[in-house]
Amino acid sequence: MSVSLYHTPPEAAAVLAEEIAALKAERNAVILAHNYEYGEIQDLADYVGDSLGMAQYAARSEAPVLVVCGVHFMAETSAILSPEKIVLIPDPEAGCSLAASINADQLRAWKAEHPGAVVVSYVNTTAEVKAESDYCCTSGNAERVIRAIPEDKTILFLPDMFLGSYLRQQTGRNIEIWAGECHVHAAIRPAMVERQRAALPGADFLIHPECGCVSSTMHYLATGALNPEGTHILSTEGMIRHAAASPAQQFVVATEIGVLHRMRKANPSKEFVPIDESISCKYMKMITLEKVRNSLRDLTHRVTVEPTLAARARTAIERMVAL
């Protein structure tokens, strides 16, 4: 694989990691990193995981300072759950194309078209959208959230149309779906799966339900065109658990390439291949060691959420955490 999962040259990374460790001790801070961050960011973090895991860790932590190495909505979620803490994001421009695909005004208008519907928002949304939602979810617990809602209810699912389509097919529920997408996952097309399946027929295929190939993958599985024993539609954390437990030695991973670092680190004897080397989130990769150092040193880029808005959003987030 030619694409690097690192950003900073090793010698410079070592120096910056030492500075960050000293500042972290001085500030009594913890560092949370998403699975899609650069390898050197994951290596120095106190916690590495998905959005739900990051939110849970932030809520449990007694540290007064949280450095969220991820995108902006993740820092917002930590600020909502831990309003008494200083929540920092190393680069405030680290946004999310999926979260940007719907705003609170659009959601209110959609709700008005479907009175009585239950709103389920994927965690990749702004605090304003969460405040208009009944539930939040991640890809890991989305199906549990849907199944927890009374069967006679119409569900408005937003903003990821691929995850929404997957959930509708899996549960058979009456789900209206917002036409949003993550620009990274949407770029994973059926042709990529077919190309890698032909090249690596013996590999396990791990596919994220956000991906643009998920609907066709489900069709191929149903018709027998893909081997169901070797194809798995899983959340990011599900992929990591599967890779550790599976006897397979080779895996093709259809999600953002940053997760390969954690998989390789946990399973050094196994081979992990990206579905395509281009599947990288430019927003996640805006977080660098230098920016983490600067944020801790200067306590810059603090993320806060207005208390009334945070209280409304917290209900949906707490339901997500509970499930």
Side-chain angles (χ1 to χ4, degrees), residues 14-243:
V15 172
L16 284 164
E18 285 187 12
E19 293 182 43
I20 290 167
L23 287 165
K24 192 174 76 164
E26 178 186 335
R27 300 292 191 191
N28 191 16
V30 297
I31 297 174
L32 315 177
H34 192 271
N35 293 310
Y36 299 165
E37 293 294 328
Y38 282 120
E40 62 263 37
I41 300 292
Q42 296 187 38
D43 288 343
L44 59 75
D46 297 282
Y47 177 84
V48 180
D50 64 4
S51 302
L52 175 60
M54 292 172 73
Q56 291 172 320
Y57 189 94
R60 290 194 306 266
S61 174
E62 296 181 358
V65 178
L66 306 174
V67 183
V68 178
C69 297
V71 294
H72 195 269
F73 79 81
M74 297 176 185
E76 271 192 339
T77 303
S78 292
I80 290 166
L81 293 177
S82 305
E84 75 285 0
K85 298 171 186 173
I86 296 173
V87 178
L88 306 174
I89 187 167
D91 190 327
E93 298 303 314
C96 173
S97 59
L98 182 55
S101 69
I102 186 169
N103 60 40
D105 288 339
Q106 290 172 313
L107 176 51
R108 281 190 286 267
W110 198 30
K111 287 166 65 176
E113 295 172 4
H114 301 276
V118 176
V119 178
V120 179
S121 294
Y122 193 40
V123 71
N124 297 47
T125 46
T126 64
E128 289 86 354
V129 168
K130 289 181 174 73
E132 294 291 335
S133 304
D134 297 299
Y135 290 87
C136 281
C137 70
T138 67
S139 56
N141 72 356
E143 189 172 337
R144 290 198 299 278
V145 170
I146 296 298
R147 293 189 186 279
I149 296 167
E151 292 189 4
D152 62 337
K153 291 289 188 180
T154 296
I155 297 169
L156 304 184
F157 185 85
L158 64 103
D160 188 83
M161 61 184 181
F162 299 113
L163 180 55
S165 174
Y166 172 76
L167 292 168
R168 185 160 59 190
Q169 291 182 2
Q170 288 293 102
T171 66
R173 297 295 300 276
N174 180 18
I175 303 176
E176 298 290 330
I177 301 167
W178 187 261
E181 63 181 28
C182 160
H183 75 285
V184 178
H185 286 105
I188 299 176
R189 307 308 303 167
M192 293 180 181
V193 177
E194 291 169 0
R195 182 176 67 245
Q196 290 286 44
R197 175 61 79 191
L200 303 167
D204 261 13
F205 273 65
L206 311 182
I207 299 173
H208 198 285
E210 276 184 43
C211 293
C213 64
V214 70
S215 297
S216 60
T217 296
M218 293 182 75
H219 171 73
Y220 294 153
L221 288 170
T223 59
L226 282 180
N227 178 6
E229 293 186 7
T231 305
H232 309 272
I233 301 173
L234 299 165
S235 68
T236 309
E237 293 300 319
M239 289 181 179
I240 290 166
R241 289 191 296 270
H242 177 87

Side-chain angles (χ1 to χ4, degrees), residues 222-285:
T223 59
L226 282 180
N227 178 6
E229 293 186 7
T231 305
H232 309 272
I233 301 173
L234 299 165
S235 68
T236 309
E237 293 300 319
M239 289 181 179
I240 290 166
R241 289 191 296 270
H242 177 87
S246 172
Q249 293 298 300
Q250 187 179 57
F251 302 82
V252 176
V253 183
T255 191
E256 210 274 353
I257 60 172
V259 76
L260 295 172
H261 177 75
R262 186 174 164 197
M263 289 178 164
R264 291 169 176 168
K265 195 172 178 179
N267 306 278
S269 66
K270 298 180 179 182
E271 181 185 7
F272 297 91
V273 180
I275 193 74
D276 191 271
E277 294 180 0
S278 67
I279 306 303
S280 177
C281 176
K282 65 179 181 180
Y283 298 110
M284 288 287 186
K285 300 306 190 281

